[in-house]
């Protein structure tokens, strides 16, 4: 029995990996096959994590550190590689969202709070794509209080409305860590040295977590879960594959004619703009497709084009990238103590000043400049149209100016044949594109006026996308980047899709202050991914703030067994 279960587990793992790398392999065996569901349900993920504070001003950023724990895998490997984080209002409306890389089970990132939010309680929730196969009660939640100092209106739950789910804090072990400072009181802009120590009485050799130094009134709270959560029992429905290789896009295809086979149907995706790219997915026997997008950051504009073949119109339906399901959560009353009001007044003032004096956060530069880069790299042949006399038709351009392309007309149909030293190129149709968007009507393609074209690129070898093969590429670049104004195919459409959230520089050096610069920090120091080894003190230094008050030093993290640990110390600035 154990051998059978292991074989089934390996089959699930292999199908998930192959279907994301080679989307057309889904047509051979689908990971969405109901026979796989029982074994897939054994793979479970849990997210826990922290924020730098629990109290924010609109327009600020929420700093997040999360850990993903996976069970049910029979070897040490990461399952999901992308973490999804959302900021929700008490009514469940998404106000901000981000997708962050998971590396070595840890994920860090920042969410910017919209300026126009109303004052009130909000919930930060985090999950993986794989966790969407279960109920959202399995996600982690962190209640946050957000204040808009310019609007008096309060965003709060409807009075007497029945809220179905209560939240309870996760169990956090204290006493395994010690935080010490040289003094309990400091002057403004004094250099403060903090020493963190993982005590020898701990159960494990190290802990990993995040250090946050903030006003005492804004100190972060523990992560929370839905009370009585039993999401692992009988609630698994396999709809989403894990993000094994990056941000995943999935959906399904439908045909207008019933009983028409969906298996093998293709959907083409062109990424427009500076981060240009191209991908193609092939549906399985259930009409499902799932693929990893090329590595990109920010919001992408995608042109989605189902390839029409066979009987009945083919339509594509794209899955929402964030979970639209929301829970009716019990919301704590929004109230502020007098010390919290005083701290908020100061925080609001510093945030206003930050827009004038503070340098913008530095985004880490990606290793590749994707602007004006063709999806196929350097073409084997490029024809610059401005260097030649303008010919009346595109077909004449190919005949006279592009030596590797031969138009072949037969039975009222014209095909373009690409010459190549690779004889295998004749086994596959060429990929015909305009501004990197696939065109499947040769008549429409050849009707484009040469006056609209800036240059023509040709790839004279077999082109691979995943496991799909094309007999070379012909791509027309137009002067205006508008596909020469040709009519878009029926059932094609544009969508905005969130790729990875930009990575931010979180090094402590970004918090250094110039002599003439006012201190605008509401979070004095944030250090995610900080590892403490047993009995080895970790020194951390920072500058005391300009403003007097009570401040908290909070370390929150996980030991090697995955248990939550925390420690806290305080100091005063006179």
């Amino acid at each position: 029995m154990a051998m059978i279960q292991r074989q089934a587990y390996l089959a699930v793992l292999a199908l998930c990996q192959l279907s994301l790398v080679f989307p057309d392999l889904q047509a051979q065996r689908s990971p969405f096959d109901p026979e796989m569901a029982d074994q897939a349900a054994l793979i479970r993920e849990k997210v826990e994590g922290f924020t730098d504070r629990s109290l924010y001003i609109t327009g600020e950023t929420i700093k997040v550190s999360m850990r993903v724990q996976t069970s049910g895998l029979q070897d040490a490997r990461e399952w999901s590689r992308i973490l999804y984080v959302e900021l929700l209002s008490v009514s469940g409306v998404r106000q901000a969202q981000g997708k962050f890389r998971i590396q070595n089970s840890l994920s860090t990132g920042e969410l910017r709070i919209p300026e126009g939010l109303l004052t009130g309680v909000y919930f930060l929730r985090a999950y993986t794509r794989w966790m969407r196969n279960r109920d959202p009660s399995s996600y982690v939640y962190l209640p946050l209080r957000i204040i808009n100092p310019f609007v008096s209106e309060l965003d709060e739950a409807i009075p007497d409305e029945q809220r179905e789910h209560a939240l309870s804090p996760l169990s956090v072990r204290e006493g395994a860590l010690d935080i010490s400072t040289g003094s309990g009181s400091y002057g403004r802009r004094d250099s403060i040295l903090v020493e963190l120590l993982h005590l020898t009485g701990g159960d494990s050799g190290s802990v990993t977590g995040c250090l946050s130094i903030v006003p005492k009134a804004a100190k972060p709270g523990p992560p929370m879960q839905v009370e009585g959560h039993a999401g692992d029992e009988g609630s698994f429905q396999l709809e989403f594959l894990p993000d094994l290789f990056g941000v995943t896009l999935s959906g399904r295809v439908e045909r207008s004619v019933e009983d028409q086979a969906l298996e093998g149907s293709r959907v083409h995706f062109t990424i427009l703009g500076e981060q240009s790219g191209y991908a193609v997915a092939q549906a399985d026997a259930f009409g499902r497709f799932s693929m990893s997008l090329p590595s990109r950051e920010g919001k992408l504009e995608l042109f989605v084009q189902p390839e029409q073949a066979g009987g009945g119109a083919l339509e594509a339906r794209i899955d929402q990238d964030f979970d639209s399901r929301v829970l009716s959560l019990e919301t704590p009353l929004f109230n502020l103590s007098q010390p919290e009001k005083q701290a908020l007044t100061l925080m609001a003032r510093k945030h206003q000043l930050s827009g004038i004096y503070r340098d913008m956060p530095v985004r880490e530069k990606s290793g590749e400049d994707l602007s004006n880069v063709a999806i196929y790299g350097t073409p084997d042949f490029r024809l610059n149209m401005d260097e030649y006399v303008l010919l009346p038709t595109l077909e004449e351009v190919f005949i006279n100016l592009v030596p590797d392309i031969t138009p072949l007309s037969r039975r009222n149909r014209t095909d373009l044949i690409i010459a190549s030293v690779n004889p295998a190129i004749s086994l596959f149709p060429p990929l015909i594109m305009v501004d990197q968007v696939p065109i499947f009507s040769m008549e429409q393609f050849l009707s484009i006026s040469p006056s609209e074209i800036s240059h023509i690129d040709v790839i004279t070898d077999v082109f691979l996308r995943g496991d799909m093969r094309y007999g070379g590429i012909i791509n027309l670049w137009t002067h205006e980047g508008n596909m020469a104004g040709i009519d878009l195919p029926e059932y094609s459409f544009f969508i905005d899709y969130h790729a990875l959230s930009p990575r931010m520089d979180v090094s402590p050096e970004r918090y250094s202050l110039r002599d003439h610069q006012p201190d605008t920090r509401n979070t004095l120091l944030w250090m995610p991914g900080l590892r403490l080894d047993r009995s080895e003190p970790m020194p951390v230094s920072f500058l005391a703030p300009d403003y007097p008050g009570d401040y908290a030093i909070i370390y929150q993290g996980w030991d090697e067994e995955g248990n939550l640990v925390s420690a806290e110390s305080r100091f005063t600035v006179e």
Side-chain angles (χ1 to χ4, degrees):
M1 179 63 70
M3 178 62 69
I4 295 175
Q5 288 182 340
R6 176 170 175 80
Q7 291 174 346
Y9 154 76
L10 293 174
V12 172
L13 178 62
L15 285 172
C16 288
Q17 291 176 323
L18 291 173
S19 64
L20 291 170
V21 177
F22 307 117
D24 66 331
L25 289 182
Q26 290 190 36
Q28 301 175 27
R29 180 69 187 273
S30 171
F32 298 105
D33 191 325
E35 294 182 2
M36 295 291 176
D38 289 343
Q39 292 302 317
L42 299 177
I43 304 173
R44 302 185 177 105
E45 290 183 318
K46 180 175 68 172
V47 174
E48 299 171 340
F50 313 98
T51 57
D52 61 325
R53 286 184 267 139
S54 62
L55 194 61
Y56 297 89
I57 307 296
T58 52
E60 288 191 298
T61 57
I62 304 169
K63 298 173 177 61
V64 178
S65 178
M66 298 283 172
R67 184 174 188 265
V68 180
Q69 299 187 58
T70 306
S71 62
L73 293 176
Q74 299 188 13
D75 47 18
R77 71 173 71 226
E78 290 188 335
W79 192 236
S80 294
R81 303 293 177 89
I82 304 296
L83 182 73
Y84 295 73
V85 181
E86 301 171 290
L87 180 65
L88 305 178
S89 68
V90 292
S91 58
V93 177
R94 186 186 306 121
Q95 305 293 343
Q97 65 278 314
K99 299 177 184 178
F100 305 102
R101 292 178 177 87
I102 300 171
Q103 295 179 322
N104 299 320
S105 300
L106 296 177
S107 180
T108 61
E110 295 185 358
L111 278 187
R112 182 166 295 278
I113 302 170
E115 296 277 1
L117 286 193
L118 298 178
T119 296
V121 175
Y122 292 81
F123 294 100
L124 189 89
R125 74 172 183 179
Y127 53 91
T128 66
R129 186 178 179 86
W130 184 254
M131 291 172 66
R132 292 177 65 181
N133 294 314
R134 301 186 184 276
D135 190 89
S137 60
S138 64
Y139 303 166
V140 67
Y141 293 84
L142 290 100
L144 306 175
R145 290 178 295 174
I146 298 176
I147 285 78
N148 187 331
F150 305 105
V151 179
S152 59
E153 186 178 354
L154 188 66
D155 182 24
E156 55 186 345
I158 300 174
D160 300 324
E161 182 183 18
Q162 183 67 31
R163 314 298 284 184
E164 298 179 3
H165 301 280
L167 294 177
S168 59
L170 295 173
S171 176
V172 179
R173 184 163 63 94
E174 299 180 354
L177 304 168
D178 179 69
I179 301 176
S180 60
T181 60
S183 171
S185 179
Y186 296 90
R188 302 177 186 183
R189 298 212 181 188
D190 282 352
S191 178
I192 301 178
L193 179 64
V194 176
E195 188 173 86
L196 308 174
L197 179 64
H198 181 202
L199 301 175
T200 56
D203 296 327
S204 59
S206 66
V207 294
T208 302
C210 50
L211 177 67
S212 184
I213 305 178
V214 298
K216 175 186 171 184
K219 71 175 186 178
M224 307 191 80
Q225 65 181 359
V226 174
E227 280 188 5
H229 162 58
D232 290 342
E233 301 299 329
S235 62
F236 184 86
Q237 185 172 354
L238 184 54
E239 295 287 341
F240 299 95
L241 299 184
D243 293 302
L244 287 171
F245 304 102
V247 173
T248 300
L249 184 150
S250 64
R252 65 179 71 244
V253 294
E254 299 176 356
R255 285 197 182 275
S256 59
V257 176
E258 294 184 5
D259 300 326
Q260 180 68 37
L262 298 174
E263 187 172 353
S265 301
R266 293 184 178 183
V267 183
H268 299 259
F269 300 86
T270 300
I271 304 174
L272 306 175
E274 293 185 352
Q275 301 188 78
S276 61
Y278 168 74
V280 58
Q282 187 161 303
D284 62 15
F286 305 95
R288 299 299 306 269
F289 61 85
S290 188
M291 66 177 186
S292 290
L293 286 175
S295 179
R296 300 292 188 271
E297 291 187 347
K299 183 181 290 187
L300 304 178
E301 183 181 13
L302 299 181
F303 179 66
V304 183
Q305 185 178 183
E307 184 176 336
Q308 303 298 331
L314 184 69
E315 299 182 52
R317 301 284 185 265
I318 308 300
D319 293 330
Q320 293 191 22
D321 48 348
F322 288 90
D323 196 343
S324 60
R325 300 172 300 170
V326 295
L327 299 179
S328 177
L329 299 174
E330 286 189 2
T331 306
L333 293 176
F334 184 87
N335 49 45
L336 297 171
S337 64
Q338 190 59 35
E340 289 173 333
K341 291 179 181 178
Q342 294 173 351
L344 272 172
T345 300
L346 181 58
M347 289 171 61
R349 185 184 307 156
K350 289 194 288 184
H351 178 61
Q352 285 182 280
L353 287 173
S354 70
I356 303 173
Y357 292 99
R358 187 179 62 187
D359 294 334
M360 293 298 293
V362 178
R363 291 185 179 180
E364 293 183 8
K365 295 181 180 179
S366 61
E368 182 181 7
D369 181 7
L370 298 174
S371 60
N372 300 318
V373 175
I375 61 173
Y376 40 78
T378 303
D380 298 320
F381 176 85
R382 169 167 287 183
L383 175 71
N384 293 309
M385 296 291 287
D386 293 340
E387 298 177 0
Y388 297 90
V389 174
L390 186 64
L391 296 174
T393 67
L394 190 56
E395 187 170 350
E396 291 189 51
V397 170
F398 289 132
I399 292 173
N400 294 283
L401 301 179
V402 186
D404 295 318
I405 297 179
T406 302
L408 181 61
S409 298
R410 50 191 173 188
R411 296 182 181 178
N412 299 321
R413 171 190 172 94
T414 299
D415 294 313
L416 298 177
I417 307 301
I418 300 177
S420 174
V421 296
N422 183 357
I425 198 171
S426 62
L427 300 176
F428 312 101
L431 181 59
I432 307 299
M433 313 181 86
V434 178
D435 292 329
Q436 304 195 97
V437 174
I439 304 297
F440 302 108
S441 170
M442 186 61 68
E443 180 181 359
Q444 191 178 39
F445 180 76
L446 293 175
S447 68
I448 296 174
S449 170
S451 64
E452 301 273 1
I453 301 170
S454 167
H455 51 281
I456 300 173
D457 286 350
V458 182
I459 298 294
T460 60
D461 203 348
V462 175
F463 178 72
L464 301 177
R465 259 300 179 261
D467 197 47
M468 297 185 186
R469 295 170 173 81
Y470 296 96
I473 296 177
I474 303 171
N475 181 41
L476 308 184
W477 294 94
T478 63
H479 290 290
E480 303 297 331
N482 60 357
M483 297 178 59
I486 63 176
D487 294 333
L488 297 179
E490 193 174 10
Y491 302 109
S492 64
F493 54 91
F494 296 89
I495 62 169
D496 289 332
Y497 200 80
H498 290 273
L500 284 169
S501 298
R503 287 174 289 183
M504 311 300 287
D505 180 8
V506 295
S507 61
E509 287 75 16
R510 66 179 283 196
Y511 298 103
S512 60
L513 298 172
R514 305 180 183 94
D515 291 339
H516 66 278
Q517 179 183 3
D519 185 0
T520 62
R521 298 171 296 164
N522 283 329
T523 295
L524 303 183
L525 188 64
W526 168 251
M527 296 181 67
L530 187 61
R531 175 186 169 120
L532 306 178
D533 292 317
R534 184 190 299 182
S535 302
E536 294 185 14
M538 169 70 72
V540 175
S541 62
F542 65 99
L543 286 180
D546 280 349
Y547 300 93
D550 296 325
Y551 294 84
I553 305 171
I554 310 290
Y555 183 91
Q556 300 179 102
W558 304 266
D559 62 22
E560 290 183 340
E561 282 75 43
N563 302 309
L564 290 168
V565 297
S566 73
E568 178 180 348
S569 182
R570 297 178 184 177
F571 66 94
T572 300
V573 175
E574 303 292 344

